[in-house]
Amino acid sequence: MPLLLEELTVQREAGPLPPGGWNKPPDKVAMVPIKQQGQDKPAGFFVVGVNPYRRDDAAYGGFVDLLAGQIAAGIGNARAYEAERKRAEALAEIDRAKITFFSNVSHELRTPLTLMCGRRGTETGRAPATPTGPPQWSATAETRERPAGFFPHRSRPYMREFRPVDLSRLTIDLASNFRAAMERSGLEFNIHCESLGEPVLVDAEMWEKIVLNLLSNALKFTFTGSVTVELKRSRTHAVLTVRDTGVGIPEGELTHIFERFHRVEGSAGRTIEGTGIGLALVQELVKLLAGSIHVSSKPNQGSTFTVEIPGGAGHLQNDAINAPVRASSRGRAEVFIDEALRWLPEAHANDGMPDGRDSSGGRKQILLADDNADMRGYVSRLLGEQYQVVAVSDGAEAIERALAHPPDLIL
């Protein structure tokens, strides 16, 4: 019908159509800016060929303007839809961030407070061990001190002290501290550290934190199979490999795994806690030792972290090299081991709280379920003076106990 009306208009104004109908191409174009309401600059321009059989008058111009207006309205609707979609995504991201924070609030607050206080700050908060002193003071201070051990506590934490170190012996000593925890988890633990032939110039404390963090990470995300530590020489470098058969890392996350505060969402672990500092710290320490670190991983197959440290002294200044010293790493390793043992069910089943059968003494009973041992201990001490608190480490055990001995409150 629109074509018929056009043909009638042409016949009335320009006479009968030429043989063959519309065979004359347009020789003029109309260009109209596509303007949206409230915007100074046009979104684009609408370019259309002018009908050579139609008079170029105000009516025709109005028709072209109407087409441009419809296009502008369509662009405006699309932009409004896109803006609303982005707004909804932003609100959803904020909501996810709030959920993540509140589900992990104890660790999210404890770690930055520990970093600000430092080990010395937490030690000064410990009350003297006297017979009359409240026991909860010591327990609370211990909770603060333990995470402090994960981070350097020198007055200048990144001041390097390169000394000749028997890297193979040091690595074996450090890794051996994890054997009991690995075996308790049902994991096969292998240590293969060959002699490097000569001492390696490293900062021993930094190397300790690299090894302990990687092993702690492997234990956290490995439920079955094995964890293997290897150290060998490769040309001019000492190469440390920590391999596990754990949950693995998705390919899309590998490029972000060493970023500060990055966490792999939905990844199964022995605890959901963590702020994404450990691997970022490892990378920084490796760089300070003039080395490199990389990771390879496949979901449900495991991960392999490889650290390469250069040998010799060509990459160091003479004043950076200190005399060799032998120091025990047991104190620092215990911090990592103690934290790892608290992830294991046998280590914190009920946290020594009563089982709820006949020791309530008439007090109301609270069943507390929390996967964080520190939070369980804190809340149990807080409520234990007035209520009988039964603390469990997960929801499954909480359901089992609630069915067997119904409490007055489940927290």
Side-chain angles (χ1 to χ4, degrees):
M1 182 63 68
L3 178 59
L4 178 60
L5 292 175
E6 182 67 18
E7 290 176 350
L8 293 176
T9 302
V10 171
Q11 289 177 352
R12 184 174 64 251
E13 297 179 357
L17 291 174
W22 302 89
N23 56 4
K24 183 179 180 181
D27 55 2
K28 295 181 180 179
V29 296
M31 185 170 66
V32 182
I34 302 175
K35 294 183 177 180
Q36 294 178 257
Q37 187 175 4
Q39 292 187 349
D40 297 332
K41 296 182 179 180
F45 292 89
F46 175 56
V47 181
V48 60
V50 177
N51 189 346
Y53 298 101
R54 179 68 168 83
R55 183 182 302 162
D56 188 10
D57 54 12
Y60 194 33
F63 172 71
V64 175
D65 289 337
L66 181 62
L67 289 177
Q70 291 295 317
I71 296 174
I75 294 176
N77 291 337
R79 287 183 170 177
Y81 176 82
E82 179 68 12
E84 183 63 25
R85 184 185 66 82
K86 291 182 177 180
R87 177 177 175 274
E89 289 180 352
L91 290 175
E93 181 63 29
I94 293 174
D95 190 54
R96 284 193 295 269
K98 289 192 296 183
I99 292 174
T100 300
F101 175 80
F102 284 113
S103 66
N104 199 19
V105 64
S106 65
H107 196 73
E108 300 288 359
L109 293 178
R110 185 179 57 153
T111 298
L113 287 175
T114 297
L115 291 173
M116 287 187 289
C117 293
R119 177 173 285 275
R120 292 188 178 182
T122 58
E123 287 175 348
T124 56
R126 181 184 290 275
T130 61
T132 58
Q136 62 267 29
W137 287 3
S138 179
T140 304
E142 187 274 335
T143 300
R144 295 197 308 268
E145 282 184 31
R146 187 170 2 93
F150 286 89
F151 305 94
H153 51 270
R154 300 170 180 162
S155 59
R156 293 175 58 192
Y158 281 53
M159 182 175 61
R160 297 172 293 179
E161 296 179 355
F162 287 93
R163 303 178 187 273
V165 174
D166 184 345
L167 208 59
S168 179
R169 173 51 53 189
L170 176 59
T171 304
I172 292 174
D173 291 344
L174 292 168
S176 297
N177 291 316
F178 272 86
R179 185 169 297 281
M182 295 289 182
E183 293 176 351
R184 185 169 166 178
S185 303
L187 300 176
E188 179 184 348
F189 189 41
N190 305 305
I191 303 175
H192 304 297
C193 297
E194 65 182 36
S195 175
L196 302 182
E198 61 182 4
V200 179
L201 289 169
V202 297
D203 184 303
E205 184 175 339
M206 290 185 180
W207 182 257
E208 290 166 6
K209 294 191 183 298
I210 291 170
V211 175
L212 294 174
N213 268 289
L214 291 178
L215 282 173
S216 177
N217 200 61
L219 176 61
K220 181 178 180 180
F221 294 104
T222 305
F223 296 92
T224 60
S226 64
V227 174
T228 300
V229 180
E230 295 180 350
L231 182 70
K232 61 182 180 180
R233 175 176 291 279
S234 176
R235 297 183 180 179
T236 60
H237 287 69
V239 181
L240 170 71
T241 303
V242 178
R243 184 184 304 107
D244 64 64
T245 58
V247 298
I249 305 169
E251 183 178 358
E253 298 282 352
L254 290 176
T255 56
H256 305 287
I257 199 66
F258 294 110
E259 294 177 3
R260 293 183 182 91
F261 309 113
H262 179 78
R263 298 174 60 189
V264 179
E265 295 295 333
S267 180
R270 297 185 184 275
T271 174
I272 63 170
E273 292 187 335
T275 54
I277 295 177
L279 289 177
L281 173 66
V282 168
Q283 184 185 53
E284 291 298 323
L285 294 175
V286 171
K287 289 181 178 178
L288 288 171
L289 296 180
S292 63
I293 181 172
H294 61 271
V295 58
S296 61
S297 182
K298 290 185 178 180
N300 302 318
Q301 295 186 26
S303 305
T304 300
F305 288 85
T306 304
V307 177
E308 297 187 6
I309 302 295
H315 58 290
L316 303 175
Q317 298 179 356
N318 291 333
D319 57 0
I321 303 174
N322 296 276
V325 62
R326 182 176 180 82
S328 173
S329 62
R330 180 61 188 170
R332 286 182 289 270
E334 284 181 347
V335 175
F336 289 83
I337 302 303
D338 291 345
E339 184 76 6
L341 290 175
R342 297 171 77 86
W343 301 337
L344 308 181
E346 298 84 358
H348 57 230
N350 198 36
D351 292 333
M353 293 294 112
D355 61 9
R357 293 178 182 175
D358 55 12
S359 58
S360 63
R363 295 185 300 172
K364 298 292 186 180
Q365 185 183 97
I366 296 176
L367 175 60
L368 168 65
D370 196 300
D371 72 331
N372 179 267
D374 293 325
M375 184 61 73
R376 285 196 308 276
Y378 174 73
V379 176
S380 297
R381 291 192 298 271
L382 193 67
L383 302 178
E385 295 181 1
Q386 300 182 34
Y387 306 95
Q388 183 197 21
V389 182
V390 177
V392 297
S393 61
D394 57 55
E397 187 178 356
I399 293 175
E400 181 180 346
R401 286 178 176 264
L403 293 176
H405 307 283
D408 296 286
L409 173 68
I410 299 177
L411 178 59

